[in-house]
Amino acid sequence: MSQAPDLPAWAALIVGIFVLLGASITLIGVIGLIRLGSFYDRVHPPTLGPTLGTACILVSSITCFSVLQSRPVVHEILIAVFVTLTTPVTLMLLARAALYRDRREDVPDVPRD
């Protein structure tokens, strides 16, 4: 029950490029998460990479379903808005919790103020 064969070649090419680009950017974020040492260094890659990767995958989804249904399908914009709004808030809450914990435990090399 796949609709992929109904997709024209030009749309399949665009969808494929954006899916691969999104997956690659997300993979770069994951590699950054693994390679960086401290928690404070690790906060950026999982937020920046997957956000852009999600945007690319959502563009491919918009393209795919707009072509298949012959009308603009923009449900994915809500997903993009939700991801764009919640990711920085989550990052900020995690960083503040880590700062609070490290300052209470007098861990060296913790940013002050």
Side-chain angles (χ1 to χ4, degrees), residues 21-36 45-46 48-50:
L21 185 64
S24 300
I25 292 171
T26 303
L27 180 65
I28 290 170
V30 169
I31 291 171
L33 176 67
I34 293 171
R35 295 205 45 168
L36 295 175
L48 297 176

Side-chain angles (χ1 to χ4, degrees), residues 11 26 31 36 44 55 57 61 63 80 85-86:
T26 303
I31 291 171
L36 295 175
H44 292 287
I57 291 173
S61 178
T63 304
L85 291 178
T86 58

Side-chain angles (χ1 to χ4, degrees), residues 14-105:
I14 291 173
V15 168
I17 287 172
F18 274 106
V19 166
L20 285 176
L21 185 64
S24 300
I25 292 171
T26 303
L27 180 65
I28 290 170
V30 169
I31 291 171
L33 176 67
I34 293 171
R35 295 205 45 168
L36 295 175
S38 73
F39 174 80
Y40 301 104
D41 292 336
R42 288 181 174 173
V43 232
H44 292 287
T47 56
L48 297 176
T51 301
L52 186 58
T54 301
C56 289
I57 291 173
L58 290 176
V59 166
S60 71
S61 178
I62 288 172
T63 304
C64 177
F65 290 107
S66 293
V67 170
L68 286 177
Q69 296 181 10
S70 300
R71 63 180 176 87
V73 177
V74 291
H75 301 105
E76 290 84 356
I77 291 177
L78 289 175
I79 297 171
V81 168
F82 183 73
V83 168
T84 304
L85 291 178
T86 58
T87 301
V89 171
T90 305
L91 161 74
M92 191 172 61
L93 290 175
L94 285 173
R96 285 185 181 207
L99 271 174
Y100 178 76
R101 180 198 60 207
D102 290 344
R103 286 179 181 164
R104 280 190 63 119
E105 295 175 356

